[in-house]
Amino acid sequence: MTTDRKTVWLVGDVGATNARFGLVSPDGAVVHSSTFGDADFATVGEAIRAYLAQAKPFPTPRIGCLAIAAPVGGDDIRMTNHPWNFSVAALRSQLGFERLAIINDFTAVALALPRLGANDRMPVGAGMPVAGRPIAVLGPGSGLGASGLIPDGTRWSPLTGEGGHVTMPAVTARENAVLEWMRRHFDHVSAERCLSGPGLVNLYNALAALDGVAAASYTAAQITDPATAARDPLCREATAMFCAMLGTVAGDLALTLGAQGGVYIAGGIVPRLGARFIESGFRARFEAKGRLSDYLAAIPTYVVTHPLPAFLGCAAALAES
């Protein structure tokens, strides 16, 4: 298909902090997009209507797909890290849509992976993808998303789960001390408690407490900022621990899925680290699985640098349904 301004689909990537909406043509080309703060709207419906009003030069879509940071399995959608909740049927009716698909946000990112070009990803370490083998994806942002693609004949079947909430393991004594501190503050120390924006703050606060120093009120962006790290060694350590722990969880996911097609890191945090992530302990920790180290060394890992991968996944979901 070619891009046709007369036919557009609504796509959305709705996270705990921001809601990104766009219009795509049936061939997946993004013709318009905008970002809204979740806190500015009482409901996701209000945010969508504000976007559609902004996109008025384009025809009003009648078909849409939203990628939501929430478990998806029925009509009632409740976001994990934000108070928005809604009925899919009611929202479709309110918008006047013929069809409205709701998928997990990392199901959407997974569906985007086969559509990424060489310029949409940054390799980290060695390894070569094996054709026809599963692909895995993890994404630290406001939370920790996880998904994968399983080959299904000539198509890919995405996995929908909540892998970001697996229990976080420790590899070093320092990590064990950090997790022990977190266990005194949370009923369950999941991977998301460490590998997300709030997780970076948790890591920093734990390290400060262990060292007996007063923790500054840093945001995740400040903790990973090189300028802050130059002043505060605990920010450097928290960022380094984040990258290494992400390698541990990514390696676990690769082993679980047999992801010889590659492991992708998406989300809003890692792409901003750039070369620092390549130079971090991520890849060494990814491969550090004892007798299975050679197996993991052969698996490529990438950082997704495409700005809107969930849009690609939403378009793929609509095109294939």
Side-chain angles (χ1 to χ4, degrees):
M1 278 178 205
T2 58
T3 302
D4 182 358
R5 285 175 60 102
K6 295 181 180 179
T7 304
V8 291
W9 296 339
L10 173 73
V11 293
D13 181 9
V14 183
T17 304
N18 294 308
R20 299 171 179 84
F21 301 110
L23 298 178
V24 301
S25 62
D27 62 357
V30 179
V31 298
H32 185 274
S33 68
S34 192
T35 300
F36 297 85
D38 292 2
D40 295 332
F41 301 91
T43 67
V44 68
E46 289 183 12
I48 293 171
R49 286 191 289 272
Y51 170 70
L52 293 176
Q54 184 187 99
K56 274 299 184 185
F58 292 90
T60 301
R62 290 291 178 262
I63 293 173
C65 178
L66 302 180
I68 302 281
V72 175
D75 181 69
D76 184 41
I77 304 297
R78 296 181 179 274
M79 295 184 66
T80 304
N81 294 312
H82 188 76
W84 279 352
N85 63 86
F86 60 93
S87 156
V88 178
L91 181 61
R92 181 176 63 247
S93 176
Q94 291 165 15
L95 296 174
F97 276 25
E98 298 169 8
R99 181 157 56 105
L100 179 64
I102 306 294
I103 60 178
N104 177 265
D105 57 339
F106 267 80
T107 299
V109 174
L111 286 169
L113 300 180
R115 296 182 172 218
L116 297 178
N119 294 330
D120 298 325
R121 65 187 190 185
M122 177 179 69
V124 183
M128 289 293 292
V130 177
R133 294 295 296 159
I135 300 171
V137 60
L138 280 168
S142 298
L144 177 64
S147 186
L149 288 177
I150 306 299
D152 181 13
T154 59
R155 303 175 63 182
W156 291 96
S157 291
L159 298 175
T160 298
E162 291 296 324
H165 296 277
V166 299
T167 302
M168 185 71 222
V171 172
T172 68
R174 183 71 156 168
E175 288 179 4
N176 192 56
V178 164
L179 295 184
E180 182 58 36
W181 182 88
M182 288 191 190
R183 291 183 195 111
R184 296 195 294 270
H185 294 78
F186 303 107
D187 59 352
H188 175 229
V189 183
S190 64
E192 184 174 274
R193 292 293 191 189
C194 303
L195 304 177
S196 61
L200 270 163
V201 176
N202 291 336
L203 291 176
Y204 170 80
N205 288 339
L207 290 168
L210 291 173
D211 286 359
V213 300
S217 299
Y218 293 133
T219 64
Q222 289 172 320
I223 291 169
T224 57
D225 188 306
T228 312
R231 299 190 304 269
D232 191 336
L234 288 181
C235 288
R236 291 198 301 274
E237 185 178 4
T239 302
M241 185 174 286
F242 170 92
C243 293
M245 284 180 156
L246 183 58
T248 292
V249 175
D252 288 348
L253 183 59
L255 289 174
T256 301
L257 297 184
Q260 293 173 303
V263 175
Y264 289 75
I265 305 300
I269 296 173
V270 173
R272 291 199 296 267
L273 297 178
R276 287 183 293 156
F277 187 72
I278 297 176
E279 297 161 1
S280 76
F282 168 82
R283 181 70 196 193
R285 187 68 72 81
F286 175 81
E287 297 180 13
K289 299 295 183 184
R291 292 172 293 173
L292 272 295
S293 292
D294 289 345
Y295 178 91
L296 286 159
I299 295 176
T301 50
Y302 308 95
V303 175
V304 175
T305 56
H306 189 286
L308 297 167
F311 282 15
L312 298 181
C314 286
L318 288 172
E320 294 175 6
S321 62

